[in-house]
Amino acid sequence: MSGFHYKSNLLDDPYETPEETCERAVRRINAYRPELESMGWSIEALAAAVKFPAEQVRACLERELPIDWDVILDRIENAIEREHHRRYVEAEMPVMTPVVKAILKTADDVKEDGAIGLVIGDSGTGKTQGIKAIRLTHANVAVVTVASSLVKPVPFLNEIRRQLRGVNYCGVREPEIFLTLRDHLPQACGLLVIDEAHLLKESRATLRCLIDLFNATGVPQLWIGTGDLERYLNRRDGIYDPTEQIRSRIQHRVDLRELVASASGLVTLEQVKKIASKTAPGVRFDAQSIVKLHALANLEREGALRLVETTIKTSVRIAKAANLPGVNGQIIDMATKSSAATRVRTRTTAPASRDDRLDMNATQQGPVVQETEAPARRSKVG
């Protein structure tokens, strides 16, 4: 084995002999033995993961060095990393509700077609959980969350650049930032997700920058936000259509409001149980509490997953304060009241023009009634 160069990152001392390198590598692998046992991996399962005969893997771990000891140790480390990643994804993956499944499918379609997609839905329906699922299931995803201070082109493009790995340039002018993204985005990103995209209606220039970036790079984009963005894109100003070019680039559209209002968009009892176990691990919820949470998740068929999570957290605090072993239906009722579960959503269609908005405001305000108060009468002093 003299003169063998071990290519793994285990070799950081060039003066080590191969035997010393292997000894250090075996010590590192043996440090994983308790974790491998907790994973339930036997020598046979580990050999199947690294695609080597079990006799060679056992000989390598027992310091009886086979010829391919370096390849075996390298594959063992890779197998452990893959198992760590699999368990992390399994632990962090949100519950596959109909909303999360719809967002994931839209992301798959957009990435496959190389297009722009639009997902709209009310606040609290599960859009954030869908974005989290996209992060865990897709490689090279850049998620940009729009804020009020990022709606202008320069800060928004710099935020996209900040989400890309290996692109450290930060420009001060829009053209140079755009050229940097044009050169680096296809290599650093396979899908660009824009969260809170409805805030971009404040800047048509930023929307045009996104379209120009798509035309220049071909990197698929997924815009996720509320219905305000769609109403903005569909508005008209007489015969002038200012957003036609932007709207024509959107090839995939999903309205989560229609989904949660249908029978296929209802959250099941089993999904509510998983949400409760992920939100409050180790806390016991009885059958009545799950039924009440299920009713809350399908409240008015509008989708209220964020409200369910808030209610679960509040109920856990109430149960701990009362020294109760678990959460029951009565605690859910108390938590529901404290988390303002009863809500009324009013949806109004955006008017087509400024005159329509003025007319609507005048209608909502109603007639102005002028009240005149009679002057006070002076009392006579006898």
Side-chain angles (χ1 to χ4, degrees), residues 281-322:
V283 178
R284 185 178 60 84
F285 291 81
D286 65 2
Q288 187 182 10
S289 63
I290 295 297
V291 170
K292 290 181 178 294
L293 289 174
H294 177 255
L296 191 61
N298 299 301
L299 179 65
E300 299 175 1
R301 290 205 172 185
E302 293 185 356
L305 293 184
R306 184 179 299 167
L307 191 60
V308 170
E309 294 177 355
T310 303
T311 304
I312 291 173
K313 295 175 182 178
T314 306
S315 63
V316 171
R317 287 195 295 267
I318 295 174
K320 287 183 178 179

Side-chain angles (χ1 to χ4, degrees), residues 37-49:
E37 293 175 358
S38 68
M39 293 178 180
W41 278 14
S42 60
I43 294 296
E44 289 73 17
L46 187 59

Side-chain angles (χ1 to χ4, degrees), residues 248-281:
S248 63
R249 296 296 191 278
I250 300 175
Q251 301 181 22
H252 296 272
R253 174 192 172 276
V254 175
D255 192 344
L256 299 179
R257 297 170 299 183
E258 298 175 357
L259 175 64
V260 299
S262 63
S264 61
L266 294 178
V267 181
T268 63
L269 277 171
E270 190 62 31
Q271 291 169 347
V272 172
K273 290 180 182 179
K274 293 181 179 179
I275 293 174
S277 63
K278 282 183 174 290
T279 306

Side-chain angles (χ1 to χ4, degrees), residues 65-116:
L65 302 181
I67 297 176
D68 296 326
W69 65 270
D70 59 317
V71 180
I72 294 177
L73 293 180
D74 197 27
R75 290 189 181 182
I76 289 176
E77 280 203 325
N78 292 336
I80 292 174
E81 290 179 3
R82 290 196 303 269
E83 180 65 15
H84 272 297
H85 178 70
R86 187 192 67 81
R87 294 196 170 201
Y88 169 76
V89 170
E90 183 179 341
E92 296 295 326
M93 180 65 68
V95 179
M96 286 296 164
T97 61
V99 169
V100 174
K101 290 180 180 178
I103 294 176
L104 275 178
K105 184 181 183 304
T106 307
D108 293 337
D109 295 341
V110 165
K111 197 171 182 180
E112 181 180 355
D113 298 342
I116 295 179

